[in-house]
Amino acid sequence: MEVEIAGYRNVEYVLLKGNKIVLFGPNGAGKTNILRAVYLAAKALAGASFRISRDDFKPGGYIRLDRYTLKYSEGQLSLYEDVRLIDSTGAEGEVRFNTSGGVKAAFVNQCAVYVGWQKGPIDACGGEPEVSGEFLFEDPYIASRIARRLKTLGVGLWSVYYKYAYRLDKWVEGNRLSYGELRLLAILYAIEAAPEKSIILIDAFETGLHHDWIVKLIELLTEIPQTVMIETHSGLALKAAKERKWSSYYIEGGKSKVIEALSDVAMFAREREAYVAALG
């Protein structure tokens, strides 16, 4: 996959290449908006409706996903395949292009998972404070595949079924699981529900996850056939991804830079020093 974005929200210019991509950098650098831009372009290609504001793009701003480009100019959004114009539409409110196909995408944020432009069965932030969130697995095929993943990961969760999860040695209501457990299940749902030729986008990857789960998930995401892009503030996640040959990028000020060596990233060095200091 090759992604090029210019003039979208706080993303000034980035060029990203690879089937497994990790974005690392400070808060407000543009990492989440890169993921949103990829998801937006995939939605546009599929002919699905999406919401847009004139403030989203700067004049001449664009999002290129491989050979397809979504470009803003004079209040219009246009979709191109290479240089061939496919369709144009207004750039305000809820819009869609007269097209179909393209690449599918799944998006996992800090709370929920979206696959095929629809919200999935988990919301780790929903519900009242005394419960963890929303949980409802109605597809037995996907539930069974997630159960197999859980057994391989060995994380204390063993199965999911309808409103319940098998945790340690008993069935419990799924919305009583911890935030981290629901985040894990959201990522596994994206893996199992998204088609092989699709992009899985994971925002704030490390949120709610202990360090051993972070490494196990990076190992799993490395092995699956889907294209994957994650953004993280965790040096551990960056290190685990880079060791497994992921394309690694440092994002700051809306620009991208290839991470050749972890020692070149001052932010990673500061995190490592903080861990060493904490351990005495």
Side-chain angles (χ1 to χ4, degrees):
M1 177 178 70
E2 185 169 295
V3 176
E4 186 178 19
I5 306 167
Y8 176 74
R9 296 189 177 179
N10 67 336
V11 181
E12 187 171 332
Y13 179 80
V14 299
L15 178 61
L16 313 170
K17 300 178 182 181
N19 288 324
K20 311 292 179 182
I21 297 174
V22 56
L23 309 178
F24 182 75
N27 293 106
K31 302 183 301 299
T32 294
N33 280 330
I34 292 170
L35 300 185
R36 289 171 176 160
V38 174
Y39 191 72
L40 174 66
K43 256 191 160 183
L45 279 170
S49 61
F50 58 94
R51 294 196 63 81
I52 194 74
S53 167
R54 292 178 186 271
D55 296 331
D56 285 338
F57 286 92
K58 296 179 177 65
Y62 62 89
I63 304 166
R64 180 173 65 83
L65 188 57
D66 290 326
R67 68 180 189 274
Y68 295 96
T69 302
L70 187 63
K71 187 172 184 178
Y72 175 82
S73 179
E74 298 180 350
Q76 290 282 310
L77 268 182
S78 299
L79 182 62
Y80 295 87
E81 181 180 8
D82 296 322
V83 296
R84 181 179 68 88
L85 177 64
I86 297 174
D87 195 14
S88 293
T89 183
E92 188 75 34
E94 190 163 331
V95 300
R96 66 184 300 170
F97 289 104
N98 184 25
T99 185
S100 62
V103 66
K104 302 294 184 184
F107 197 108
V108 184
N109 61 23
Q110 295 94 324
C111 294
V113 53
Y114 297 82
V115 178
W117 329 126
Q118 300 295 321
K119 189 176 181 181
I122 293 173
D123 188 336
C125 304
E128 298 298 322
E130 65 269 21
V131 298
S132 296
E134 300 171 4
F135 184 100
L136 181 62
F137 280 87
E138 296 183 291
D139 187 324
Y141 175 72
I142 291 178
S144 67
R145 291 185 61 85
I146 288 174
R148 286 196 289 271
R149 296 285 190 191
L150 289 169
K151 290 172 184 175
T152 301
L153 290 171
V155 293
L157 281 172
W158 297 105
S159 188
V160 292
Y161 175 72
Y162 196 49
K163 295 183 179 181
Y164 302 94
Y166 197 75
R167 178 210 240 173
L168 300 178
D169 60 351
K170 63 181 180 180
W171 288 97
V172 297
E173 291 185 42
N175 63 2
R176 261 61 180 180
L177 294 176
S178 73
Y179 174 77
E181 288 169 324
L182 291 174
R183 276 276 295 168
L184 171 67
L185 290 173
I187 293 170
L188 294 181
Y189 179 83
I191 291 170
E192 297 304 337
E196 286 192 4
K197 293 182 178 180
S198 61
I199 306 168
I200 296 176
L201 306 159
I202 307 177
D203 190 23
F205 171 75
E206 75 283 359
T207 304
L209 302 176
H210 196 261
H211 68 84
D212 54 348
W213 286 20
I214 288 173
V215 175
K216 286 181 178 182
L217 279 172
I218 291 290
E219 290 174 346
L220 174 58
L221 291 167
T222 302
E223 296 167 359
I224 63 173
Q226 294 100 325
T227 297
V228 179
M229 183 185 291
I230 69 172
E231 73 90 4
T232 183
H233 298 97
S234 167
L236 174 66
L238 172 64
K239 184 174 184 292
K242 190 158 180 57
E243 286 175 344
R244 288 157 182 81
K245 311 301 182 185
W246 285 42
S247 300
S248 306
Y249 293 89
Y250 184 72
I251 309 297
E252 187 170 20
K255 297 180 180 179
S256 61
K257 180 181 178 181
V258 175
I259 298 175
E260 301 289 356
L262 294 177
S263 58
D264 296 335
V265 183
M267 195 173 159
F268 177 82
R270 290 197 301 271
E271 182 177 338
R272 182 175 57 189
E273 290 166 4
Y275 275 120
V276 171
L279 293 172

